[in-house]
């Protein structure tokens, strides 16, 4: 599973932040900085990954991640194929493993997978011997590229991740974004405050570096970054709070509550946003918000990851 290419990631796959060393995280962020400028050129394309092919295999809905991977691949001149569950043979009873092995028979260089089952990308590593596997979100487990683009975005506004106070607020229980961010940010030396209703915070977040509080004021007091999470109604089979109004009153972010944070606090959200449920619409569009910057940076960060997994040994600097 290790990668022997020079100036490259230590693994052939990117499955999660938990097993990604800090040196790899720093290399991805540094490489993304050099790729970002390509997207502002009149011709947004370099030949870096010409001849490489990437399959985006998405078993859950996605707007940002899927299009971002496709755009990233195309900006590097790789061929990108998008396959969603409705268009795949899984609807005809084919297993995930058979689907992946059939796709690998066509010699892609990377399979990017999003799946509702935690561990699905890890399982593919055992069955797809030749290509790299890239986790685009697996169940409630990890969403490593989101945490990397979030770290990149924070570093465009703050000098260092180390020493920052970052509040992650909302539906922690169903959030792979919360897990990946908590692991990355605490590895980098940030203080991570985890906040939400007790019914939406699972045990164990302290073990991955989070400090749990059920009080929003305590979480965002003097915070440098406030990361709001979507209430994931599609993952909830029970009701975890009495009403949307009560949820917003206690845990929704508004201008009034932002006074508890620092004046230059940035407001983040991985999207999609439920306006008026977890965040006031004016705040989502306000001057502290970096939500669309996160989406923009996602392309550069994913270009960097594709490049480091595939092209870094071929003297194909952008
Ligand atoms: N942030 C994120 O994963 O968004 P999508 O579900 O639209 O990909």
């Amino acid at each position: 599973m290790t990668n022997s290419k020079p100036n490259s990631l230590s693994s052939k796959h990117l499955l999660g932040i938990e097993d990604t060393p800090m040196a790899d995280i720093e290399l991805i962020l540094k490489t993304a900085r050099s790729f970002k400028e390509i997207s502002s050129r009149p011709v947004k394309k370099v030949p870096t990954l010409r001849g490489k092919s990437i399959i985006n295999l998405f078993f859950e809905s996605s707007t940002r991640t899927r299009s971002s991977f496709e755009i990233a691949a195309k900006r590097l001149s790789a061929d990108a194929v998008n396959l969603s569950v409705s268009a795949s043979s899984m609807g005809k009873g084919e297993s995930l493993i058979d689907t992946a092995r059939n796709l690998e028979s066509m010699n892609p260089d990377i399979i990017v997978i999003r799946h509702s089952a935690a561990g699905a990308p890890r399982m593919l590593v055992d069955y797809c011997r030749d290509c790299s596997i890239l986790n685009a979100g697996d169940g409630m487990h990890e969403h490593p590229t989101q945490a990397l683009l979030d770290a990149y975005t924070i570093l465009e506004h703050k000098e260092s991740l180390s020493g920052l106070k970052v509040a992650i607020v909302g539906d922690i229980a169903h959030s792979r974004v919360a897990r990946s961010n908590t692991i990355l940010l605490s590895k980098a030396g940030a203080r991570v405050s985890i906040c939400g209703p007790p019914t939406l915070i699972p045990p164990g977040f302290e073990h991955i570096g989070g400090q749990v509080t059920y009080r929003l004021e305590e979480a965002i007091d003097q915070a440098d970054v406030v990361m709001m999470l979507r209430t994931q109604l599609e993952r909830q089979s029970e009701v975890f709070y009495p009403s949307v109004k009560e949820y917003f009153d206690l845990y929704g972010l508004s201008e009034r509550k932002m006074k508890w944070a620092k004046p230059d606090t940035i407001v983040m959200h991985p999207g999609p946003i439920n306006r008026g449920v977890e965040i006031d619409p004016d705040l989502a569009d306000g001057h502290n918000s970096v939500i669309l910057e996160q989406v923009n940076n996602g392309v550069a960060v994913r270009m960097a990851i594709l490049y480091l997994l595939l092209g870094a040994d071929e003297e194909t600097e952008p």
Side-chain angles (χ1 to χ4, degrees):
M1 201 155 130
T2 55
N3 197 343
S4 57
K5 295 172 185 172
N7 191 29
S8 190
L9 302 180
S10 58
S11 172
K12 180 181 164 185
H13 312 286
L14 180 62
L15 302 177
I17 296 296
E18 192 161 24
D19 48 15
T20 300
M22 201 56 212
D24 283 1
I25 291 170
E26 284 166 359
L27 179 60
I28 291 167
L29 299 178
K30 183 177 130 214
T31 309
R33 262 171 236 128
S34 64
F35 277 114
K36 184 163 176 182
E37 175 269 330
I38 293 169
S39 294
S40 58
R41 293 182 190 170
V43 178
K44 303 172 181 60
K45 208 173 180 85
V46 290
T48 311
L49 294 184
R50 193 165 49 203
K52 304 288 187 187
S53 44
I54 290 149
I55 295 180
N56 289 322
L57 182 57
F58 276 61
F59 295 99
E60 279 187 345
S61 60
S62 168
T63 301
R64 281 144 289 268
T65 312
R66 200 177 87 156
S67 52
S68 182
F69 268 116
E70 184 178 358
I71 290 169
K74 288 180 172 168
R75 293 213 169 138
L76 294 172
S77 299
D79 297 312
V81 174
N82 292 319
L83 198 57
S84 59
V85 68
S86 57
S88 80
S89 293
M90 290 192 73
K92 299 176 187 167
E94 189 171 61
S95 71
L96 170 62
I97 291 166
D98 280 330
T99 297
R101 290 181 70 195
N102 277 271
L103 292 173
E104 206 204 14
S105 301
M106 293 180 244
N107 299 112
D109 296 286
I110 298 184
I111 295 179
V112 178
I113 176 169
R114 170 172 287 192
H115 200 282
S116 59
R122 177 69 191 81
M123 189 174 70
L124 291 200
V125 167
D126 294 333
Y127 290 91
C128 300
R129 298 271 170 209
D130 294 325
C131 70
S132 295
I133 303 295
L134 218 163
N135 182 2
D138 61 331
M140 300 171 212
H141 177 224
E142 280 233 37
H143 193 347
T145 60
Q146 180 70 44
L148 286 159
L149 74 89
D150 288 342
Y152 184 96
T153 305
I154 294 170
L155 285 169
E156 285 194 324
H157 292 269
K158 311 288 173 190
E159 270 178 30
S160 164
L161 298 176
S162 180
L164 292 183
K165 179 178 178 184
V166 181
I168 304 180
V169 181
D171 180 355
I172 307 293
H174 299 92
S175 178
R176 53 198 175 208
V177 175
R179 276 183 56 78
S180 290
N181 263 302
T182 302
I183 297 167
L184 191 159
L185 292 165
S186 58
K187 264 190 203 190
R191 282 184 299 140
V192 184
S193 187
I194 296 290
C195 180
T199 48
L200 285 173
I201 301 189
F205 256 77
E206 292 88 351
H207 302 303
I208 58 169
Q211 294 166 353
V212 173
T213 174
Y214 306 119
R215 289 183 51 237
L216 185 61
E217 182 169 0
E218 188 183 334
I220 68 178
D221 177 46
Q222 294 303 306
D224 300 284
V225 178
V226 179
M227 192 179 290
M228 301 305 293
L229 300 175
R230 185 171 67 91
T231 305
Q232 301 202 17
L233 301 169
E234 78 278 17
R235 293 190 201 280
Q236 296 179 10
S237 49
E238 325 163 32
V239 176
F240 291 93
Y241 44 84
S243 69
V244 167
K245 181 181 180 312
E246 184 167 325
Y247 183 85
F248 186 76
D249 286 348
L250 289 173
Y251 296 104
L253 196 62
S254 61
E255 292 286 1
R256 179 181 64 79
K257 293 172 189 166
M258 277 294 286
K259 296 199 172 31
W260 297 328
K262 291 180 177 172
D264 63 347
T265 299
I266 57 170
V267 175
M268 307 181 78
H269 194 305
I273 294 174
N274 289 318
R275 289 174 183 264
V277 178
E278 67 263 1
I279 188 165
D280 187 296
D282 290 342
L283 205 53
D285 302 324
H287 66 276
N288 293 82
S289 170
V290 298
I291 294 169
L292 293 180
E293 291 175 38
Q294 291 171 260
V295 180
N296 180 269
N297 290 331
V299 175
V301 168
R302 290 179 175 113
M303 286 168 81
I305 295 165
L306 297 178
Y307 168 71
L308 290 167
L309 287 176
L310 293 180
D313 60 337
E314 291 170 7
E315 296 180 9
T316 46
E317 292 285 331

